[in-house]
Amino acid sequence: MTRLHTASGIFRDMDHAEDAKEYLLGQEEFLDNVIEIDPVAPNAAEMLMKVHADSAREMQEIMDVLRNYGAVNISTAVTHEA
């Protein structure tokens, strides 16, 4: 099944991004393959975390976790299947 919802946020601290990821992995619905952490730009200290979800409810949970762990510029997207 394709996960149609994505929430993302920027972390200025890699430790906070890793803590947020570990929290999400502790939840039953989130697996390692739906969570991405990448530098915002080459050699950048800021990290972009993207988490893919099956539902709007999961996406809200992700947004809460991103906010609680200090992410900024939190955004959401919905992909429509062709």
Side-chain angles (χ1 to χ4, degrees), residues 39-50:
V40 172
N43 301 317
E46 295 179 326
M47 305 303 288
L48 174 65
M49 176 185 272
K50 289 184 184 179

Side-chain angles (χ1 to χ4, degrees), residues 13 28 34 42 55 59 61:
D13 182 324
E28 187 174 298
V34 301
S55 67
M59 189 162 57
E61 182 176 352

Side-chain angles (χ1 to χ4, degrees), residues 59-80:
M59 189 162 57
Q60 183 60 52
E61 182 176 352
I62 295 163
M63 290 172 55
D64 291 344
V65 170
L66 292 174
R67 191 174 300 108
N68 290 342
Y69 281 89
V72 296
N73 297 338
I74 298 170
S75 63
T76 62
V78 177
T79 303
H80 300 282

Side-chain angles (χ1 to χ4, degrees), residues 4-17:
L4 300 177
H5 302 272
T6 302
S8 62
I10 296 174
F11 286 91
R12 295 187 174 111
D13 182 324
M14 183 59 175
D15 289 338
H16 291 171

